[in-house]
Amino acid sequence: MLRKLFAIWIAKSVIFIGKILNKKTTSMPGVLALKICPNIIRILSKFIKKEIIVVCGTNGKTTVNNILCSFIENYRIDNCEKTIVVCNKFGANMPSGIVTSLIEKTNIFGKLSADYACFEIDEAYVTKIFDFLTPHVVVITNLFRDQLDRYGEIDSAIKLIENALKKVKNSKLVLNADDPLIAEFGLEKFVIEKTDENINLSEMDTESKHVFYSKEYSFKKKENIYYFGIDEKISDNMDEVREGRFCILCGSKMYYEYYHYGQLGKYFCENCGYKCPEIDFAAKDIVFGESFKINEKVVKFLRWGIYDIYNVLAALSAISVCGIQVDFLKVHYPFQLGRMEEIGLNNMRVFLNLSKNPAGFNQAIHTILKKEEFKSIIIVINDNVNDGKDVSWIWDVDFEKLNNDKICFIGVAGSRFYDVALRFKYSEIAVDYFSEDIKQTICESFKSRAEVCYILVNYTALFTTRNIILEIRNNFNKNELKCC
Amino acid sequence: MVVNILHMYPDLLNLYSDRGNIECMKRRLLWRNIDANVIELTTESENIDLNYVDIIFIGGGSDREQKIVCEKLLCIKNKIRKYVEDQKVLLAVCGGYQLLGKYYKIKDEMLEGLGILDIYTESSDKRIIGNIILENELFDNKIVGFENHAGRTFNNCYKPFGKILIGGCYNNFEFEGVMHENIIGTYLHGPLLPKNPLVCDHLLNKALKQKYEEFLSLSKLNDDLEISANSLFCKKFLGKRKF
Ligand SMILES: [Zn+2]
């Protein structure tokens, strides 16, 4: 007990000092509190009066979690004035970040008062955290190849989540039906023994002999499973690496009626029968920049990316599963740093977008190319620890699509600028300027005739790049027309 | 002149952006006005005639994907054997490298390899992950890349691909990979060739010499960008090395 209080006090003081120094402390207080009282997540999460929702998956965690949080905050329980939600809003998705967000809502006597909690949790920590935290609802957005050098391979990410889910058997799962790597978590398999006379191995020549499977499955949705998905074809097929091209259950090739991006779509396996399960929350009638429908309910939708649909859909599905009644016409898009964030500079509009993996980059490129204006594009790639030191994934991004006559400048910067420059060279796309220096590269882009500048960055490049843009803006405002 | 490059199972073995290696070989031929023809052998391909192939590239995949490829490869084992005996060029990275050997032991499971090289691989719980730099006297520049693998490959018979300057972190391995006749097997991806143009040209050179008696040598390309990338990489990571 004393340990717990001590942990809370220490963490609270660090948060307080951070506030004085005007520094965001999202993880340090939690790191300290966990050292003092490893059990602190369990102790504090017991105080949450209603549901605890956890969001996992590769892309969109932060957005989904923030949409969830702002919806719930605006929801009035029994006409009470305020709904308090604990939320690790800033994407601090390791145990320390969760502890920090809990302690922020705890008073100095160790009592936490909150109605709901929404946490985004990194796949690598979810198993560990579920030892201390029992969520009512777990949302899984998608699984893409991300920061490979941290987890090994996508298969290990699947295993991590699978193991974690075993610990929370009573939780409701809200799963992306369109992701073959995820939908399977909610299905029970029954093996049907096949007596197949069609296949006679001895008659086949050895050269073309494939692996044959004599078993087929039938599937049944497990209890407490809810699927969301996009129930119509929306995009032209884009060529990119699809992680789930081979059936996760039997290894044979997966077929798609259509797919949206990455491996997400209407898939089926002819061999074993695995296919996109029936959807409980289906998005349809999608009009980008206007609206779409979830089970005939209209959702206001002022965004342009397919991933935006998934984010809103995942959040609203989870909210519906919790039984929270909200107005779908009032989707709050929480402001997020670097998610197609617009920063105006005199005559130039700059958009800053963070992508952490090929799927994210391809989506960003796809979204950018939808717009008609003359634009410059700058790619900033760093290889700091938080980015994953391996940058080979840049070869899986469809940079070839940037061979477009509306693009009048391509710049490359960041600590791995050479890797990106080579990536472009071997695709025979001309790079107008490359340098480790981000500021210089941005300034060079202003010399082109572009009206808009899109800067696509990876994780640790985000804050540096953002600060540089703000600095340039300040200089503009001070009427120093020279940018560098 | 034309070089036919066979990319083996790009639909399965594409884990570490191996297509960068294919792109690199292709462009460096085209830039020299030599035709390049890339053939993809996929899991759906019916039959393959290796007589027309000058360079084989095989990359890496997850253990699950590798098992599928292994079955497929064993079916054309004899063809690949003959291809290698004909002194033709083969580049194998990561999983592909492991499959060239006698076996790959994953925990209790034995995956039979092609047995083209007298090497073997055993998986370990600890993955080796990180930047890696090699030195090989054949090349003026260091060989740079990234490695990420659970397998430990034991090469007791052949020349290595290079002496490890940094990398192979959890081991006391001194050398990396295999360079035997016209085969290179290595764990380096990233992809390997764009930052190591000399290695790429070495393979192209071998392939052309093998195919065309009259072929003398490759013309020089402007490799400033590649060499700068390579040098900066070495400066950054070799600089930190403790001697
Ligand atoms: Zn299947």
Side-chain angles (χ1 to χ4, degrees):
Chain A
M1 194 60 198
L2 216 65
R3 211 167 238 280
K4 164 194 145 189
L5 281 178
F6 186 53
I8 290 167
W9 292 339
I10 293 281
K12 278 207 158 303
S13 343
V14 176
I15 297 174
F16 181 70
I17 293 166
K19 273 193 187 135
I20 294 175
L21 300 175
N22 202 13
K23 277 206 171 118
K24 271 218 172 74
T25 45
T26 52
S27 99
M28 198 53 198
V31 171
L32 293 171
L34 274 169
K35 278 230 170 88
I36 302 164
C37 177
N39 216 2
I40 191 119
I41 295 184
R42 191 193 325 248
I43 296 168
L44 291 181
S45 65
K46 290 244 164 79
F47 285 105
I48 311 272
K49 292 183 197 115
K50 295 188 173 261
E51 265 96 354
I52 297 173
I53 307 172
V54 162
V55 185
C56 280
T58 315
N59 286 357
K61 277 192 293 279
T62 311
T63 314
V64 172
N65 200 39
N66 286 359
I67 296 178
L68 266 174
C69 176
S70 65
F71 256 122
I72 301 176
E73 277 177 344
N74 285 298
Y75 167 63
R76 297 280 158 267
I77 310 162
D78 308 328
N79 292 323
C80 275
E81 229 169 67
K82 221 174 156 199
T83 306
I84 300 170
V85 185
V86 179
C87 176
N88 53 344
K89 262 186 199 158
F90 300 103
N93 56 21
M94 296 179 239
S96 56
I98 286 160
V99 173
T100 305
S101 63
L102 282 164
I103 287 176
E104 277 173 343
K105 295 270 193 301
T106 305
N107 67 17
I108 51 163
F109 307 109
K111 195 168 177 315
L112 176 141
S113 60
D115 304 295
Y116 289 90
C118 356
F119 296 119
E120 64 158 294
I121 302 182
D122 189 298
E123 297 83 270
Y125 299 100
V126 68
T127 316
K128 199 176 146 203
I129 291 175
F130 282 177
D131 281 337
F132 300 99
L133 179 85
T134 311
H136 299 87
V137 178
V138 180
V139 184
I140 307 180
T141 57
N142 50 52
L143 278 176
F144 291 114
R145 190 188 292 180
D146 186 29
Q147 305 187 353
L148 277 161
D149 53 348
R150 211 148 47 106
Y151 305 144
E153 292 155 1
I154 192 97
D155 293 25
S156 21
I158 296 172
K159 276 203 195 92
L160 282 171
I161 294 185
E162 226 163 29
N163 288 337
L165 291 180
K166 278 182 199 148
K167 295 190 174 171
V168 291
K169 287 217 166 98
N170 294 321
S171 306
K172 294 174 177 167
L173 298 188
V174 177
L175 304 175
N176 188 342
D178 296 346
D179 189 338
L181 301 177
I182 283 176
E184 190 250 335
F185 295 146
L187 297 172
E188 214 170 325
K189 295 184 283 282
F190 299 95
V191 177
I192 312 167
E193 294 289 341
K194 242 202 312 192
T195 48
D196 202 338
E197 287 106 29
N198 313 338
I199 303 163
N200 188 344
L201 288 178
S202 59
E203 274 175 21
M204 316 219 12
D205 74 322
T206 47
E207 290 285 313
S208 62
K209 201 192 300 185
H210 297 288
V211 193
F212 279 104
Y213 301 84
S214 58
K215 283 169 185 173
E216 248 184 32
Y217 302 112
S218 72
F219 296 91
K220 205 182 132 209
K221 196 163 89 169
K222 291 183 197 160
E223 257 177 78
N224 285 331
I225 301 292
Y226 302 86
Y227 285 111
F228 65 88
I230 296 177
D231 212 12
E232 66 187 14
K233 181 177 161 59
I234 36 175
S235 68
D236 339 315
N237 273 6
M238 292 186 298
D239 234 14
E240 60 179 81
V241 175
R242 274 179 289 144
E243 209 58 65
R245 278 183 305 186
F246 290 86
C247 180
I248 178 172
L249 298 179
C250 76
S252 43
K253 186 160 180 154
M254 197 85 109
Y255 291 90
Y256 280 79
E257 214 173 291
Y258 50 80
Y259 68 99
H260 307 305
Y261 72 96
Q263 75 276 11
L264 311 183
K266 264 272 177 300
Y267 51 87
F268 61 96
C269 170
E270 279 186 336
N271 184 55
C272 75
Y274 180 42
K275 62 175 192 221
C276 183
E278 222 167 279
I279 301 173
D280 301 291
F281 300 98
K284 262 190 172 171
D285 300 335
I286 294 155
V287 185
F288 287 95
E290 275 182 29
S291 66
F292 68 87
K293 283 182 188 161
I294 301 178
N295 299 350
E296 303 307 317
K297 263 174 121 177
V298 180
V299 181
K300 198 165 100 190
F301 181 61
L302 303 177
R303 296 287 165 116
W304 292 90
I306 302 173
Y307 54 94
D308 293 316
I309 302 177
Y310 277 114
N311 291 340
V312 175
L313 182 59
L316 288 176
S317 305
I319 279 173
S320 304
V321 166
C322 289
I324 300 175
Q325 303 290 331
V326 295
D327 187 350
F328 280 20
L329 288 171
K330 286 188 191 146
V331 177
H332 302 265
Y333 293 96
F335 167 75
Q336 274 181 279
L337 286 182
R339 308 293 157 101
M340 279 295 169
E341 178 186 357
E342 183 173 351
I343 304 172
L345 300 175
N346 269 14
N347 300 323
M348 178 67 73
R349 281 154 58 220
V350 176
F351 285 89
L352 182 62
N353 191 62
L354 162 69
S355 311
K356 296 185 209 161
N357 44 38
F361 261 94
N362 285 338
Q363 276 292 294
I365 290 171
H366 191 73
T367 308
I368 291 167
L369 292 179
K370 274 190 197 155
K371 311 267 174 87
E372 281 292 308
E373 1 64 346
F374 286 104
K375 44 200 160 261
S376 49
I377 305 247
I378 296 171
I379 313 286
V380 188
I381 302 292
N382 281 347
D383 63 348
N384 298 335
V385 177
N386 289 332
D387 298 312
K389 289 178 200 149
D390 184 7
V391 294
S392 63
W393 58 268
I394 58 173
W395 289 81
D396 292 333
V397 179
D398 287 333
F399 285 122
E400 283 79 4
K401 295 237 159 72
L402 297 180
N403 246 335
N404 178 301
D405 46 2
K406 292 282 181 191
I407 294 175
C408 17
F409 175 93
I410 294 180
V412 172
S415 63
R416 292 305 280 262
F417 72 102
Y418 270 130
D419 289 81
V420 186
L422 279 175
R423 166 75 181 84
F424 280 95
K425 176 175 177 179
Y426 281 94
S427 306
E428 300 204 304
I429 301 171
V431 173
D432 299 278
Y433 191 81
F434 59 87
S435 159
E436 184 153 6
D437 189 332
I438 302 169
K439 187 173 179 189
Q440 189 62 41
T441 311
I442 295 176
C443 292
E444 287 296 322
S445 81
F446 293 158
K447 295 175 186 163
S448 78
R449 64 193 177 109
E451 306 154 71
V452 188
C453 177
Y454 289 96
I455 307 180
L456 310 184
V457 300
N458 70 343
Y459 191 68
T460 56
L462 174 67
F463 293 100
T464 330
T465 310
R466 194 169 183 274
N467 289 337
I468 288 169
I469 301 170
L470 295 179
E471 185 192 325
I472 295 173
R473 183 172 69 180
N474 278 341
N475 290 346
F476 270 137
N477 291 347
K478 280 188 228 143
N479 269 334
E480 291 167 28
L481 283 172
K482 263 201 342 241
C483 108
C484 299
Chain B
M1 288 188 288
V2 58
V3 175
N4 296 318
I5 304 167
L6 179 72
H7 190 179
M8 273 190 167
Y9 304 110
D11 52 343
L12 277 171
L13 302 181
N14 63 354
L15 189 55
Y16 297 115
S17 312
D18 300 311
R19 80 189 178 94
N21 290 324
I22 299 286
E23 282 303 296
C24 187
M25 289 192 275
K26 187 175 97 185
R27 296 289 174 200
R28 295 184 72 80
L29 287 164
L30 294 176
W31 289 336
R32 289 166 165 127
N33 293 317
I34 300 169
D35 278 333
N37 183 21
V38 176
I39 313 149
E40 294 196 338
L41 177 69
T42 69
T43 42
E44 291 184 339
S45 307
E46 284 295 300
N47 230 320
I48 182 74
D49 187 349
L50 295 183
N51 288 321
Y52 298 99
V53 173
D54 308 307
I55 298 177
I56 289 181
F57 173 74
I58 177 160
S62 67
D63 285 348
R64 172 170 55 95
E65 290 161 330
Q66 209 163 315
K67 274 180 210 162
I68 305 172
V69 167
C70 198
E71 303 259 3
K72 302 252 167 201
L73 279 178
L74 287 176
C75 298
I76 53 169
K77 186 174 167 177
N78 291 336
K79 283 184 180 177
I80 301 175
R81 260 178 198 285
K82 174 156 187 315
Y83 173 92
V84 169
E85 277 159 18
D86 290 345
Q87 301 284 314
K88 287 181 166 182
V89 175
L90 193 161
L91 172 62
V93 173
C94 245
Y97 170 41
Q98 295 166 344
L99 291 176
L100 293 186
K102 290 200 145 48
Y103 63 84
Y104 177 24
K105 197 171 157 215
I106 310 170
K107 287 181 191 134
D108 301 323
E109 202 179 345
M110 279 288 249
L111 214 59
E112 187 192 340
L114 287 168
I116 283 168
L117 294 175
D118 192 4
I119 57 172
Y120 61 94
T121 305
E122 284 168 4
S123 83
S124 156
D125 288 339
K126 257 197 156 156
R127 298 185 75 85
I128 300 183
I129 302 170
N131 291 305
I132 174 164
I133 300 178
L134 309 178
E135 191 172 50
N136 182 325
E137 68 219 359
L138 269 179
F139 308 112
D140 289 340
N141 297 99
K142 307 267 188 289
I143 304 166
V144 303
F146 196 87
E147 60 180 332
N148 183 344
H149 50 103
R152 308 286 188 268
T153 301
F154 298 90
N155 163 19
N156 303 318
C157 313
Y158 312 104
K159 263 199 195 156
F161 181 43
K163 183 175 184 298
I164 298 174
L165 299 182
I166 60 157
C169 32
Y170 301 113
N171 284 281
N172 300 320
F173 277 127
E174 227 185 308
F175 298 100
E176 203 280 333
V178 168
M179 203 165 180
H180 174 63
E181 289 175 340
N182 292 338
I183 304 173
I184 290 181
T186 176
Y187 277 115
L188 269 71
H189 66 82
L192 169 71
L193 299 180
K195 275 203 295 280
N196 300 295
L198 298 180
V199 177
C200 183
D201 284 358
H202 170 83
L203 294 170
L204 300 178
N205 206 21
K206 291 267 187 192
L208 284 158
K209 273 198 177 135
Q210 205 278 336
K211 189 170 187 182
Y212 300 102
E213 260 175 49
E214 71 277 15
F215 175 78
L216 293 172
S217 67
L218 288 167
S219 58
K220 230 180 131 36
L221 293 175
N222 179 351
D223 285 339
D224 292 350
L225 186 65
E226 289 81 347
I227 301 299
S228 307
N230 185 301
S231 313
L232 183 68
F233 190 97
C234 291
K235 206 174 116 194
K236 251 167 101 173
F237 300 112
L238 275 180
K240 288 181 192 159
R241 184 165 56 126
K242 291 189 190 102
F243 289 92

